[in-house]
Amino acid sequence: MASKKLTAEQQLLFDALTPLQKKFALAIVKGKNQTDAYKAAKGKAKGDAMRAAASRMYANVNVQAFLASVQVSAVDDAIMTREEALKRLTTMGRARITDLVDFGEHDMGKDEDGRDVIQATWRFKDSVKQSPELLDAIAELTAGKDGIKLKLHDARGAIKQMAEMEGWQAPEKVEHSNPDGSLNPANMAAAVIEALKRKHADN
């Protein structure tokens, strides 16, 4: 395996494996089940012994450590970061239709009564081609009998979601007690946390 595909930590874990374990682990990473991975690694066991050998190899501490490191890396890469989410929401919240397209008119000629037929037209601005992230603001782009329909994401909705993520709203008052004065179980944890904070502040 080329080291450039692994982090330094992953490479160390991979290097700790035996040649057979390396082939087995790589086959697992590619999606094979334990038995097929063992076959692909050219293990010597056959028949029922093959399944047992594959199971033991999969349970090996070094193999598990390497597989866990690779799987965690794959999951991390697949999940959108907070910064990515905020950047996309910012694009949606700021974008205006005039940032994306230029509007114009096209002379279609004359109708049956000799009147001018003018059709409204639009095209993407050159700046959109240079900053393709602006396309994230587009929620719908469809072609129909009335021409191309362009719809942007709800800017207010994007701003509201950003506000929730960043905590821009004023603190909300939470009632920890029921009308009869008893503690509300649903808010018991919050009450305990507040009590601990007060105790810490007093000390």
Side-chain angles (χ1 to χ4, degrees), residues 104-151:
E105 295 181 343
H106 181 67
D107 187 354
M108 301 293 291
K110 306 287 185 180
D111 63 12
E112 296 177 352
D113 299 324
R115 292 174 296 189
D116 292 333
V117 178
I118 305 297
Q119 182 177 11
T121 63
W122 63 268
R123 67 177 183 84
F124 281 115
K125 290 186 174 182
D126 292 337
S127 58
V128 176
K129 300 174 184 177
Q130 298 171 4
S131 303
E133 62 272 11
L134 289 174
L135 296 177
D136 290 339
I138 298 176
E140 184 179 344
L141 184 61
T142 56
K145 63 180 182 179
D146 297 325
I148 296 178
K149 178 181 179 182
L150 178 67
K151 180 181 178 182

Side-chain angles (χ1 to χ4, degrees), residues 26 36 41 49 65 87 98 104 115 131-132 150 154 160-161 165-166 175 181-182 184-185 188 190 195 199 201:
L26 291 178
D36 289 341
K87 185 176 180 180
T98 52
R115 292 174 296 189
S131 303
L150 178 67
D154 178 22
K160 179 180 179 183
Q161 191 168 350
M165 292 177 66
E166 294 294 276
E175 295 293 341
S182 61
N184 185 340
M188 189 177 296
K199 181 178 179 181

Side-chain angles (χ1 to χ4, degrees), residues 42 48 64 70 79 86 95 103 116 132 145 166 186 199-200:
K42 307 298 183 183
D48 291 339
Q64 279 294 307
V70 175
I79 296 175
L86 289 172
F103 293 97
D116 292 333
K145 63 180 182 179
E166 294 294 276
K199 181 178 179 181
H200 180 73

Side-chain angles (χ1 to χ4, degrees), residues 176-184:
H176 300 303
S177 300
N178 292 317
D180 61 0
S182 61
L183 189 63
N184 185 340

Side-chain angles (χ1 to χ4, degrees), residues 24-123:
F24 176 82
L26 291 178
I28 291 291
V29 170
K30 291 179 180 178
K32 292 184 180 294
N33 60 38
Q34 294 177 27
T35 303
D36 289 341
Y38 187 83
K39 289 180 182 177
K42 307 298 183 183
K44 295 180 179 180
K46 305 294 181 183
D48 291 339
M50 181 190 299
R51 287 191 289 273
S55 180
R56 286 194 299 272
M57 186 168 293
Y58 185 79
N60 179 274
V61 174
N62 290 339
V63 171
Q64 279 294 307
F66 172 71
L67 291 177
S69 72
V70 175
Q71 291 165 354
V72 168
S73 176
V75 170
D76 286 346
D77 290 342
I79 296 175
M80 179 181 289
T81 64
R82 181 186 184 88
E83 289 71 23
E84 287 179 292
L86 289 172
K87 185 176 180 180
R88 294 190 68 174
L89 287 170
T90 297
T91 298
M92 295 176 191
R94 286 180 173 170
R96 295 179 174 83
I97 193 70
T98 52
D99 296 330
L100 299 171
V101 299
D102 284 320
F103 293 97
E105 295 181 343
H106 181 67
D107 187 354
M108 301 293 291
K110 306 287 185 180
D111 63 12
E112 296 177 352
D113 299 324
R115 292 174 296 189
D116 292 333
V117 178
I118 305 297
Q119 182 177 11
T121 63
W122 63 268
R123 67 177 183 84

